[in-house]
Amino acid sequence: MKNIETLSNYVRTPLDSTILVLCYKYKTLDKRKTLASLIEKNGILFESKKIPEYKMPAYIAEHLKASGMQIDSKAAQMLSDCLGNDLSRLEKELDKLSIIMAENGLKCITPELVEVNVGISKEYNNFELLKAIIQRDILKSNRIIQYFAQNPKKNPIQITLAVLFNYFSNLMICFYCKDKSEKGLMQALGLRNAFQIKDYQLGLKSFPPMKVFNLIGDIRTADARSKGVENVSDSQEEIMEELLYRILH
């Protein structure tokens, strides 16, 4: 519909015998206008927000648990890094993996299973890159970046930058937490799984606050440059190499 507000006339006096469900996709319904206020008065207005990408590993684990399946924490992170918060793509991959598990009598989705059937390297992915960066492993970090450069379609720079941005943004929150215990950090970041907190606890020791503050700006700049802003000749590999140097030195 070109003008969804036209439905206000119906919502004002809806039929008691009809259940009408309106799916308003890709935007948020303007609650200042008549239609939203009438829906809240005469029906139910439900907003389904996208799951933040940093919460996706926990969501994947909980989603599978409800279906009686398990997933390794690294495998969940691999799927999250590759698919982001696109639930349609995620559902297709999980359906495929569940069929393979049933056929082979498996109980848990492993990184090896994801690598073979989804096409994500268990050694060269954003999960391993972030882990190497947090541990300040310069050699391994550069090896992964070089692998990404050789396989750009499977490892787009925008996804890598999003993973780095989410981590360092959350790490900045951790610096300002009064309660830096495992429970306190989990609550501050809205995380369910304790294994994710270990990366932030190590990051608090590995990076000073001001460096993290500057790195968030560096990642934003790298993202803009990867899209051609103030960048004429640098390749995505060169952009990542420069950013990696800023992070680790």
Side-chain angles (χ1 to χ4, degrees):
M1 295 183 66
K2 290 184 179 179
N3 182 14
I4 196 167
E5 288 295 317
T6 306
L7 290 171
S8 298
N9 294 326
Y10 175 81
V11 179
R12 187 172 281 107
T13 54
L15 290 173
D16 292 336
S17 60
T18 300
I19 296 176
L20 177 63
V21 180
L22 306 174
C23 296
Y24 191 71
K25 298 176 69 176
Y26 311 118
K27 290 183 180 180
T28 301
L29 192 64
D30 192 340
K31 294 183 179 180
R32 297 170 298 178
K33 295 186 178 180
T34 305
L35 179 60
S37 61
L38 286 172
I39 291 175
E40 287 185 318
K41 179 181 178 182
N42 299 324
I44 296 173
L45 182 61
F46 174 73
E47 183 179 355
S48 178
K49 295 181 179 180
K50 272 199 169 187
I51 301 169
E53 291 192 3
Y54 70 91
K55 290 187 177 182
M56 281 304 296
Y59 170 82
I60 293 170
E62 290 294 326
H63 180 71
L64 288 170
K65 184 178 180 181
S67 303
M69 293 184 286
Q70 294 180 315
I71 186 168
D72 179 275
S73 59
K74 180 177 177 180
Q77 189 69 53
M78 288 168 65
L79 286 172
S80 174
D81 291 347
C82 178
L83 305 175
N85 56 2
D86 186 334
L87 299 188
S88 296
R89 288 181 62 199
L90 174 65
E91 196 66 33
K92 290 178 182 177
E93 296 297 344
L94 291 181
D95 284 345
K96 180 170 66 177
L97 290 170
S98 64
I99 292 171
I100 294 168
M101 289 173 67
E103 290 176 347
N104 294 275
L106 303 174
K107 295 182 179 180
C108 182
I109 298 175
T110 62
E112 290 77 15
L113 201 65
V114 172
E115 181 177 36
V116 172
N117 297 285
V118 183
I120 311 168
S121 171
K122 67 175 182 178
E123 298 297 333
Y124 298 96
N125 55 66
N126 287 311
F127 176 85
E128 291 297 328
L129 174 62
L130 185 58
K131 183 178 177 181
I133 287 174
I134 296 169
Q135 295 175 348
R136 304 191 76 84
D137 189 331
I138 297 174
L139 180 60
K140 185 176 180 179
S141 298
N142 279 287
R143 280 178 178 170
I144 295 174
I145 290 299
Q146 290 171 8
Y147 175 85
F148 286 178
Q150 295 168 3
N151 302 271
K153 289 185 178 180
K154 288 187 177 182
N155 305 279
I157 187 173
Q158 280 75 25
I159 291 179
T160 301
L161 292 173
V163 170
L164 295 176
F165 182 82
N166 284 336
Y167 175 76
F168 284 108
S169 296
N170 284 339
L171 187 59
M172 200 70 204
I173 294 173
C174 292
F175 280 115
Y176 288 94
C177 282
K178 292 182 179 179
D179 182 2
K180 290 184 172 58
S181 67
E182 184 178 281
K183 184 178 180 181
L185 293 177
M186 285 179 66
Q187 186 175 2
L189 298 179
L191 300 177
R192 296 179 184 176
N193 293 334
F195 80 89
Q196 293 173 283
I197 291 300
K198 293 179 182 179
D199 289 340
Y200 293 107
Q201 289 174 325
L202 182 57
L204 289 171
K205 299 176 182 177
S206 300
F207 299 95
M210 187 51 66
K211 183 174 181 66
V212 173
F213 178 82
N214 291 328
L215 285 177
I216 292 172
D218 291 336
I219 295 169
R220 284 182 177 275
T221 300
D223 181 59
R225 290 177 62 204
S226 73
K227 297 169 182 172
V229 178
E230 296 184 3
N231 177 33
V232 178
S233 59
D234 287 350
S235 66
Q236 294 193 356
E237 180 181 7
E238 291 171 323
I239 293 171
M240 277 305 307
E241 286 177 347
E242 181 180 338
L243 177 61
L244 191 62
Y245 181 85
R246 289 177 178 274
I247 294 173
L248 294 174
H249 293 84

